[in-house]
Amino acid sequence: MNSKRRFQWIDRQTVGTKLKLANLFTSGIVIFLAGVLLLALQAYLSGMALLEQARTEAAVVGNNISAAIIFKDHASAKEILGTLKAFEDVAHASVFDAEQNIFSDYAKAAQHDMRTDTQGGLRGNAYDFSLHRLRVSHPIDYEGKAIGTVHIDTDLASTYRRIGWYALSISIIMLACLTIANMVLRRLQQFVTAPLHALAKTSTAISEQGDVSLRATVDASEDLGMLAKAFNAMLDRIEKREIELECEIEERKRVEVKLDRLAHFDSVTGLHNRYFFHDRLGSAIAQAQALHQRTFVMFLDLDNFKAVNDTLGHDVGDELLRVVAQRLRDAVPAGDTVARLGGDEFAIILENVADGSTGETVAKRCIDALSRMVRINGNEIYISGSIGLSSCPDDAVDVNALLKFADTAMYYAKNAGKNTYRVFNSSMQGEAQKRFAMNGNLRRALERDQFVLQYQPQIDLVTGQIFGVEALIRWAHPDLGLISPMEFIPLAEETGLIVPIGAWVLKSACLQLKAWHDEGYTQLHMAVNLSARQLAEDTFVETVLDIVRTTGVNPRMLELELTESMLMDAGDAFIAKLDTLRQAGIMLAIDDFGTGYSSMSYLKRFPINTIKVDRSFVRDLPDSAQDKAITKAIISMAHSLQMRVIAEGIETDRQEVVLTADGCNSGQGYLYSPPVNADEISKLARLVKPVDIPLEDDRLSARRAAIATKTRSSHERV
Ligand code: C2E
Ligand code: MG
Ligand code: MG
């Protein structure tokens, strides 16, 4: 654990410090070992020198003292031994005779304790090192005969001292060397660590600044230089990869943004799309519930967009959608969602609304915004929208229900004459359900023959004669009584049931017309309404001609009513169908003229015989100067194209007077008769059966009055 911690400490050190420590440790050990060896050598050499010296001293003493031993001259012997005083280290000397008895001795004043009176086992030429002294023995000869031995004890203290000084000097030298080594190492270490520092600095800068274009500048050529080169090369690759990655990420982001736009935005208007709208509405509902606030959903359908698209082209149509989108964005509070659900349908979410009237305020603003004229490529376009409003939590708290209710309310706005808004209420839901149930019933009604036709007379305004009738369908419901076509025709069109229903109408009308003609009312024309779905059928012309043939009716007395929108949808195949009908002698009329996107150009393109001026232009006559101008313009235009004009919805004499004055040929309306049963028509037609009516004004008026009175009274009876 301890050693681990120690290593951790070392691990934490810089490479420089580690290098320094390693070098110091190595050189320390080397210097220390060298010192120890030198010291040992020194001790050995000192010992040897001391031994040599002691031996020399012993030899000299032995040579000099032999005569004294022979002559047993102790005094001389003492004197000779006394010369040893000159040698500092000699502590004691003893001379033994041949019998091993001490003959003489010498002791340095302070060294008596070292004296030995015995030879201590040491004989002849020998020596003995002990801790504190060196004893040397030397034989004393006289003429080749051993006469004694001299022992000299040398004190080792001064030798120790010398060695001590030597050790101290070596230590100081060692330390000095280490210090110098340390200083040198420090300088040298910089050469080693500088490139490493440069690499480390570069790595740190890169990680801190994230700038991989930085490079390490290292001059070394070998190992570290190579390392630096490798490091820089690695950075080059990282940088390249990084640039590639950035490009890749950029590209991916662009694709993601594009996908996100495609997934959430409408490509034409830049508004949110249906998918985003559903998501957003889901969260808006959740938030409204959490905050106890209201969220409004507005469903907006443009009223006459299709006409613009078809007559002015898709580019203008797209531009118009963009203008509408911008106007809606401006009309809706910032932060609320405006989306295009597809085609000419837009939807708006008003979130976190505290005031219940906000929805209507915004709806009004949207309608006003749309009603301003739009100019695109020099075309002045008037557009309007119908809006349905539903709110959470008042009406529903789920996305689909809210949308359905807003859609239902929007239909009510359309039915109320378009260019307006309606707020959803629960009675509408009942209506919606009724519509749904009606779909099933409609099919059964056709099977059970519950449809009936009524006929509304068309009057020649000049002669006052009934020259024709318009066949109008009703549903004779066993429980609900007569149901208006306004209630079920749109549904029949949606479901396609209008095709068999339309065929039934045409056949019944033709049979009736044939019957009247057979009765002698040969002046009667029959107008039959057509729906777009019927005309779209490949077998349509065949069906009509077949009915005409089988009923035996005169095709010149049959008039098919088309609407402007049908003509605007027309392609070549459609025109070909109309041409075929015309060639067969069948007449064609444009119903409700002026309510669609009226374009004079198509009047020329189609083989039209009659224009029916919509009753919305007749209603305010003669008071509305604008309507007066419009009806007059339509009448004169129709005449210049050699077409008959029928004014629809004439309810008052005043209306009739203006229209007649403006040259209108014919009229249809409650002033003469509402739609009535077939036998009522026979009675009315009988009134005008004589064909030779003089064209005098007073008689004409009288006849017209008579017709009106008759039809009104007969209608009252129905
Ligand atoms: P439309 O073809 O424009 O028919 C004229 C409508 O105006 C009729 O309503 C008629 O009753 C009404 N009307 C006539 N004179 C006056 C008047 O003086 N004042 C007012 N306020 N209204 C008047 P109706 O019968 O309810 O028919 C409504 C629409 O239903 C028709 O409009 C037509 O578009 C459609 N329709 C009726 N029968 C058929 C049919 O057999 N097939 C198809 N496809 N549509 C039909
Ligand atoms: Mg009609
Ligand atoms: Mg009409």
Side-chain angles (χ1 to χ4, degrees):
M1 184 69 184
N2 251 348
S3 68
K4 209 172 175 187
R5 217 172 272 161
R6 205 159 45 236
F7 283 130
Q8 273 178 1
W9 177 82
I10 290 173
D11 279 346
R12 280 200 300 274
Q13 302 310 308
T14 60
V15 175
T17 310
K18 281 181 191 163
L19 268 176
K20 213 159 62 188
L21 285 175
N23 277 318
L24 277 177
F25 185 67
T26 316
S27 49
I29 283 186
V30 169
I31 290 174
F32 176 74
L33 282 178
V36 168
L37 286 175
L38 277 176
L39 203 59
L41 185 66
Q42 182 63 30
Y44 175 73
L45 291 176
S46 298
M48 287 305 110
L50 203 62
L51 181 61
E52 201 52 48
Q53 189 187 330
R55 273 184 170 154
T56 308
E57 286 164 2
V60 171
V61 169
N63 284 343
N64 292 346
I65 215 162
S66 58
I69 293 172
I70 290 170
F71 297 108
K72 303 216 188 283
D73 184 353
H74 289 280
S76 298
K78 255 298 183 234
E79 203 175 317
I80 290 166
L81 284 177
T83 59
L84 289 172
K85 202 175 180 178
F87 299 100
E88 269 263 308
D89 293 342
V90 175
H92 178 251
S94 306
V95 175
F96 298 91
D97 59 17
E99 284 79 37
Q100 314 288 328
N101 297 319
I102 185 114
F103 176 74
S104 181
D105 69 349
Y106 159 80
K108 201 172 165 184
Q111 303 287 333
H112 287 291
D113 57 322
M114 284 186 100
R115 177 186 294 173
T116 49
D117 291 337
T118 61
Q119 284 190 1
L122 216 57
R123 280 163 202 246
N125 206 351
Y127 69 91
D128 172 43
F129 268 109
S130 72
L131 192 62
H132 296 296
R133 59 140 175 80
L134 166 65
R135 174 166 289 178
V136 173
S137 75
H138 191 80
I140 304 168
D141 300 332
Y142 184 72
E143 295 181 347
K145 193 177 156 204
I147 56 168
T149 311
V150 59
H151 280 194
I152 289 181
D153 289 334
T154 306
D155 187 4
L156 293 180
S158 65
T159 305
Y160 279 138
R161 230 177 356 261
R162 223 171 14 255
I163 290 173
W165 277 112
Y166 189 73
L168 185 67
S169 317
I170 282 181
S171 301
I172 290 169
I173 290 168
M174 267 167 52
L175 275 176
C177 286
L178 271 179
T179 312
I180 292 166
N182 188 23
M183 279 155 52
V184 173
L185 276 174
R186 191 176 289 214
R187 295 244 14 117
L188 287 178
Q189 166 220 320
Q190 279 173 6
F191 288 110
V192 178
T193 55
L196 291 175
H197 273 156
L199 294 182
K201 232 169 95 181
T202 311
S203 318
T204 314
I206 289 171
S207 58
E208 277 174 6
Q209 299 164 18
D211 179 4
V212 283
S213 65
L214 294 174
R215 290 292 178 272
T217 43
V218 175
D219 291 332
S221 54
E222 286 307 311
D223 37 30
L224 281 178
M226 277 164 62
L227 174 64
K229 261 188 211 151
F231 178 76
N232 284 342
M234 182 185 77
L235 285 178
D236 284 346
R237 285 185 52 197
I238 291 177
E239 189 181 10
K240 196 171 154 232
R241 185 77 199 112
E242 186 125 310
I243 292 169
E244 283 170 4
L245 266 178
E246 267 169 23
C247 291
E248 228 174 279
I249 291 169
E250 276 295 304
E251 182 58 28
R252 195 166 289 183
K253 272 188 193 155
R254 263 201 302 275
V255 172
E256 271 171 16
V257 168
K258 216 167 158 186
L259 283 178
D260 187 66
R261 284 201 75 78
L262 281 179
H264 295 119
F265 291 91
D266 166 47
S267 56
V268 177
T269 59
L271 291 178
H272 291 297
N273 63 13
R274 180 183 288 276
Y275 306 104
F276 178 90
F277 183 83
H278 272 252
D279 269 11
R280 188 76 217 114
L281 185 55
S283 20
I285 290 171
Q287 211 184 345
Q289 283 181 297
L291 300 175
H292 302 291
Q293 281 182 320
R294 235 188 227 107
T295 286
F296 279 101
V297 176
M298 287 171 51
F299 200 99
L300 183 148
D301 190 283
L302 295 180
D303 292 330
N304 34 13
F305 175 74
K306 198 167 165 25
V308 176
N309 215 20
D310 293 341
T311 46
L312 300 178
H314 291 266
D315 289 345
V316 174
D318 285 356
E319 187 53 35
L320 181 63
L321 287 175
R322 279 189 278 276
V323 173
V324 167
Q326 188 53 50
R327 290 189 181 178
L328 291 179
R329 250 193 231 120
D330 294 342
V332 168
D336 282 327
T337 307
V338 181
R340 177 174 170 233
L341 303 187
D344 59 353
E345 288 175 357
F346 294 82
I348 292 161
I349 306 172
L350 303 177
E351 288 182 50
N352 302 333
V353 181
D355 181 1
S357 65
T358 308
E360 290 190 50
T361 313
V362 176
K364 270 183 218 149
R365 266 216 306 267
C366 290
I367 284 175
D368 288 348
L370 293 186
S371 66
R372 294 199 311 273
M373 187 261 281
V374 184
R375 190 187 296 275
I376 300 170
N377 297 348
N379 299 296
E380 289 185 358
I381 302 171
Y382 289 91
I383 191 119
S384 63
S386 301
I387 296 178
L389 275 160
S390 66
S391 83
C392 161
D394 312 78
D395 301 326
V397 288
D398 84 277
V399 173
N400 290 330
L402 272 179
L403 271 175
K404 197 178 85 188
F405 293 160
D407 187 44
T408 305
M410 189 274 291
Y411 268 104
Y412 274 79
K414 288 255 183 216
N415 283 341
K418 303 178 178 176
N419 193 25
T420 185
Y421 69 90
R422 283 291 178 270
V423 180
F424 177 80
N425 60 53
S426 48
S427 67
M428 290 182 182
Q429 192 184 8
E431 285 291 313
Q433 277 166 355
K434 206 167 116 191
R435 267 161 57 86
F436 185 73
M438 214 185 235
N439 184 30
N441 291 342
L442 267 185
R443 198 174 294 276
R444 240 173 301 146
L446 188 65
E447 287 160 9
R448 296 181 187 175
D449 219 9
Q450 289 178 352
F451 292 116
V452 292
L453 289 182
Q454 286 195 329
Y455 304 89
Q456 186 172 33
Q458 296 178 327
I459 310 293
D460 183 321
L461 293 184
V462 181
T463 62
Q465 281 189 26
I466 298 179
F467 70 90
V469 294
E470 178 179 4
L472 295 160
I473 191 171
R474 274 93 184 88
W475 178 5
H477 195 280
D479 306 323
L480 304 173
L482 281 190
I483 298 177
S484 151
M486 306 289 271
E487 287 192 47
F488 63 86
I489 291 288
L491 188 72
E493 279 174 343
E494 264 172 48
T495 56
L497 262 182
I498 191 69
V499 176
I501 292 176
W504 175 87
V505 170
L506 187 64
K507 189 163 185 188
S508 310
C510 285
L511 284 173
Q512 183 59 60
L513 183 64
K514 181 77 173 91
W516 281 329
H517 282 183
D518 290 347
E519 281 174 42
Y521 306 112
T522 48
Q523 85 280 16
L524 284 182
H525 289 71
M526 175 67 77
V528 175
N529 291 286
L530 290 182
S531 103
R533 279 293 281 267
Q534 286 172 271
L535 269 152
E537 292 289 297
D538 288 340
T539 54
F540 171 72
V541 176
E542 224 175 285
T543 311
V544 175
L545 297 180
D546 198 39
I547 290 172
V548 170
R549 209 173 27 251
T550 53
T551 54
V553 84
N554 177 0
R556 280 176 190 76
M557 305 306 271
L558 178 64
E559 185 165 72
L560 300 180
E561 292 190 4
L562 315 165
T563 59
E564 280 170 295
S565 58
M566 289 185 204
L567 298 185
M568 280 177 291
D569 288 342
D572 290 344
F574 181 90
I575 300 175
K577 283 181 187 176
L578 297 188
D579 283 336
T580 318
L581 293 174
R582 275 298 295 123
Q583 277 156 22
I586 296 168
M587 314 287 258
L588 299 174
I590 300 181
D591 201 357
D592 306 339
F593 187 84
T595 53
Y597 186 76
S598 308
S599 161
M600 304 303 146
S601 63
Y602 66 64
L603 284 180
K604 264 193 346 199
R605 281 175 63 210
F606 301 104
I608 303 296
N609 310 92
T610 309
I611 286 179
K612 297 188 76 178
V613 181
D614 190 69
R615 66 168 183 271
S616 59
F617 301 111
V618 176
R619 190 181 52 220
D620 297 330
L621 288 180
D623 305 322
S624 161
Q626 216 172 14
D627 287 344
K628 200 165 177 295
I630 291 172
T631 45
K632 192 172 179 180
I634 296 175
I635 292 163
S636 77
M637 179 197 66
H639 284 169
S640 63
L641 292 170
Q642 271 87 49
M643 294 176 186
R644 173 195 277 278
V645 188
I646 303 183
E648 294 185 89
I650 302 179
E651 294 180 356
T652 64
D653 285 324
R654 293 173 71 221
Q655 288 168 343
E656 183 194 71
V657 170
V658 221
L659 287 163
T660 318
D662 285 338
C664 183
N665 316 63
S666 338
Q668 181 181 341
Y670 293 166
L671 175 63
Y672 315 107
S673 167
V676 291
N677 295 334
D679 46 351
E680 292 293 323
I681 293 293
S682 311
K683 285 178 207 158
L684 289 173
R686 212 172 299 135
L687 280 175
V688 289
K689 209 171 177 185
V691 286
D692 54 343
I693 301 168
L695 294 174
E696 285 149 30
D697 276 352
D698 49 342
R699 287 193 56 192
L700 234 181
S701 306
R703 182 161 305 281
R704 227 176 276 146
I707 295 168
T709 322
K710 276 279 172 196
T711 50
R712 250 175 261 143
S713 57
S714 50
H715 179 67
E716 272 150 23
R717 283 202 302 279
V718 175

